[in-house]
Amino acid sequence: MKPRNRPQKQAARLRWGAGLIAACLTLFACSDPEPSGPPDDGPVRVDPPAGWDSDIAPPTAEDLDPSPGIVEVALEARLATREILPGVRTEVWTYNGGIPGPTLRARRGDRLVVRFTNHLPEPTTVHWHGLRVAAEMDGTDAAQQPVRPGETFVYTLDLLDAGTYWYHPHVHSSWQVGYGLYGAVVVEDPEEPFLGDDLVLVLSDIGIEEDGTLTPGNDSGWFGDYFGREGNVLLANGKVLPTLRGRAGVAQRWRIVNAARSRYQRLSVPGQQMVRLGGDGGLAEKALPVDEIVLAPGERAEVLIIPRPQPDGAVRVQWRDWDRFHIGTLRDPVDLFTFALTEDAPVDATVRVPERLRTIEPVSLSNPPVQRLELMEKSVDGTGVLGINGLTASEAPPLMAHAGVNEVWELTNSTAYDHPFHLHGFFFQVLDIDGVAPAVREWRDTVNVRPGTRVRMAIQFDNRPGMWMFHCHILDHADLGMMGMLHVMP
Ligand code: C2O
Ligand code: CU
Ligand code: CU
């Protein structure tokens, strides 16, 4: 059950018609002094139109364990033939037969047990991007032997934090992710106020040739690695241009994951106001009205939309280009999905957002160790490679940190293009980018580093020692060497 905001008052509180503008204005009028409690007099939840998400939402994995507090799911990596482009059959790489794989849903405090079986033609692992798991469960080749074809591995994950996360392979990952292997993990917080009907939106792309076969994962050789391969087909939950329905005034909470191997996602919803609720590590401190959402590969955003009536009832949500090469030109927008409003009369806002969503303490730092990481490129025998502090992944010794000792990392980027830096296993807070603090405090695991900028971040090293990874989440760049290991010592 999702938390419901006082359903018993529902019937009494429906108001029709003109209240929408008022609803938008009251969005921030509710300065709730209790940051975590529900607003005490918010309007109530109204059910969304029947089948509102049936064309677009990915399936949710079935919980095979009846005991409370344990969610057990079966996950199988296998090839499957899907019709992604109309009339064209493509053999893709899937979890449980679909792109994306099933959403794994549980609650904060639950234990998630994933019985994973590999039926791919090659070894793989599953990495739990953003989840604070035990080091042995992180799914990298530093944490485990890759799972060979036919083998099973059981991942046991204690879910410490509510939020939107995702899973993907960490062996041959640029190919395997590019071929379709990814899915979302949603960790609900039973104490959160109702913030809209929940929709997972996994955005990605895939390369499909004219005959329906997948574009080879190493297409264009070194150039492909260097630029980062973007598939020619854009996917919203594995589909080309699916339809999402809504009713004017009935709030939706989109949990957006950028699962693309290299492509940035930049979204706006024409005619609608988005409110950004949070990102990688769940809700931010404050809700923030925004005109667009930019997600580098690996990043997530939670977005609230209370649809206003649309003149023609539907809008196309588009992908728009992000100039990650800083060349000053943008490619044309591409339609991602249709957001169609039913003809039902608009409902007054069904949810109010407290301005403060959550209390997030700053990472406590007393005389913290500072590590400087320069994202860079160099030439080895005439070939460009990428690395960190002068060394590629295979050349670099692990960095060291200590469990319980928080650190400040300073990231700089001396290349001419953006790199989304991702740290496994530990959340961080961005302190500033070129001296400017972010608009809201929040937990992150990925941050985009633009050329010539300096990102300072504070990492909370809680007590989970082991070997962890950090890398550029343009997965082709990680292949070219922009990756490193971090040994967190007890
Ligand atoms: Cu999405 Cu190494 O991670
Ligand atoms: Cu990760
Ligand atoms: Cu990069």
Side-chain angles (χ1 to χ4, degrees):
M1 273 287 280
K2 290 177 189 169
R4 293 203 169 219
N5 194 354
R6 309 193 177 188
Q8 70 277 14
K9 291 196 209 161
Q10 180 163 324
R13 302 196 57 128
L14 290 178
R15 273 183 288 150
W16 305 94
L20 274 171
I21 292 168
C24 297
L25 295 176
T26 56
L27 197 58
F28 291 95
C30 173
S31 303
D32 191 337
E34 292 296 313
S36 57
D40 51 17
D41 197 28
V44 294
R45 175 173 174 173
V46 174
D47 283 336
W52 67 288
D53 66 348
S54 56
D55 186 46
I56 193 168
T60 297
E62 188 194 346
D63 179 4
L64 304 170
D65 187 323
S67 33
I70 299 182
V71 173
E72 182 174 333
V73 299
L75 195 67
E76 207 178 83
R78 56 178 152 93
L79 304 191
T81 300
R82 319 290 311 174
E83 191 180 304
I84 292 176
L85 292 173
V88 181
R89 292 163 67 80
T90 302
E91 188 172 66
V92 292
W93 295 35
T94 75
Y95 291 114
N96 292 7
I99 296 181
T103 300
L104 313 185
R105 251 180 210 277
R107 291 175 156 201
R108 182 167 56 78
D110 284 353
R111 168 167 286 190
L112 176 60
V113 179
V114 182
R115 251 168 223 293
F116 172 70
T117 307
N118 180 12
H119 290 302
L120 299 173
E122 63 181 42
T124 192
T125 55
V126 189
H127 167 58
W128 310 96
H129 181 128
L131 289 175
R132 293 194 294 142
V133 301
E136 320 79 79
M137 294 293 144
D138 195 43
T140 65
D141 52 8
Q144 66 173 110
Q145 291 292 329
V147 184
R148 286 176 306 205
E151 285 181 353
T152 292
F153 187 92
V154 180
Y155 292 94
T156 305
L157 315 169
D158 288 317
L159 304 175
L160 306 179
D161 311 281
T164 306
Y165 308 94
W166 63 299
Y167 58 95
H168 64 77
H170 224 286
V171 169
H172 210 194
S173 48
S174 57
W175 297 51
Q176 293 191 2
V177 170
Y179 287 170
L181 289 169
Y182 39 79
V185 181
V186 173
V187 183
E188 296 172 354
D189 184 343
E191 280 156 31
E192 247 168 39
F194 173 69
L195 291 168
D197 293 306
D198 210 288
L199 175 75
V200 166
L201 270 174
V202 179
L203 305 180
S204 63
D205 61 17
I206 194 163
I208 300 181
E209 303 290 303
E210 245 153 59
D211 62 359
T213 57
L214 290 175
T215 304
N218 61 349
D219 186 46
S220 322
W222 176 86
F223 284 97
D225 285 332
Y226 189 76
F227 291 107
R229 294 177 180 83
E230 298 189 359
N232 57 327
V233 180
L234 277 80
L235 301 175
N237 286 336
K239 293 186 171 181
V240 176
L241 211 55
T243 296
L244 168 66
R245 286 172 214 290
R247 176 171 178 184
V250 178
Q252 301 192 353
R253 177 180 184 172
W254 295 357
R255 297 174 178 268
I256 313 174
V257 180
N258 184 0
R261 135 186 211 176
S262 293
R263 183 185 291 268
Y264 284 56
Q265 313 278 350
R266 183 176 173 200
L267 302 183
S268 55
V269 186
Q272 301 291 346
Q273 174 72 63
M274 292 188 283
V275 178
R276 187 178 179 281
L277 300 172
D280 294 344
L283 298 179
E285 264 211 316
K286 290 183 192 161
L288 207 63
V290 293
D291 294 327
E292 64 175 22
I293 293 285
V294 179
L295 293 180
E299 284 189 292
R300 286 87 67 207
E302 294 193 34
V303 174
L304 170 79
I305 292 209
I306 303 177
R308 298 173 188 148
Q310 293 285 342
D312 60 359
V315 286
R316 290 268 167 102
V317 176
Q318 292 181 322
W319 170 90
R320 293 194 302 135
D321 202 1
W322 172 254
D323 188 11
R324 64 184 169 97
F325 298 111
H326 303 276
I327 49 177
T329 55
L330 296 177
R331 290 169 289 178
D332 289 338
V334 179
D335 291 341
L336 273 186
F337 63 94
T338 301
F339 187 30
L341 297 186
T342 60
E343 284 173 359
D344 301 308
V347 172
D348 195 355
T350 57
V351 57
R352 280 192 181 186
V353 186
E355 195 182 351
R356 292 178 68 80
L357 295 168
R358 175 184 182 189
T359 300
I360 298 179
E361 300 295 339
V363 173
S364 87
L365 297 169
S366 57
N367 213 355
V370 177
Q371 311 222 38
R372 294 189 175 81
L373 280 73
E374 181 201 351
L375 312 178
M376 37 63 65
E377 59 191 321
K378 65 175 183 177
S379 153
V380 173
D381 303 328
T383 304
V385 295
L386 299 173
I388 298 172
N389 291 347
L391 302 172
T392 63
S394 56
E395 298 164 343
L399 298 183
M400 300 289 183
H402 287 89
V405 180
N406 300 335
E407 296 196 354
V408 171
W409 286 18
E410 289 189 10
L411 308 175
T412 54
N413 173 0
S414 61
T415 73
Y417 38 94
D418 292 9
H419 300 285
F421 179 88
H422 168 54
L423 173 64
H424 282 216
F426 300 91
F427 285 129
F428 55 83
Q429 293 170 3
V430 171
L431 297 173
D432 67 80
I433 298 180
D434 286 342
V436 180
V440 291
R441 186 176 296 135
E442 63 183 305
W443 293 110
R444 313 190 61 106
D445 55 60
T446 305
V447 61
N448 192 44
V449 187
R450 308 183 74 177
T453 61
R454 189 191 63 165
V455 175
R456 289 196 324 129
M457 58 195 229
I459 308 172
Q460 180 139 310
F461 283 115
D462 56 309
N463 190 19
R464 284 169 303 114
M467 201 49 109
W468 302 90
M469 281 184 170
F470 51 87
H471 56 89
C472 177
H473 220 288
I474 292 177
L475 296 173
D476 297 292
H477 287 177
D479 290 350
L480 262 194
M482 196 174 276
M483 161 119 92
M485 305 293 294
L486 172 70
H487 189 186
V488 177
M489 288 170 294

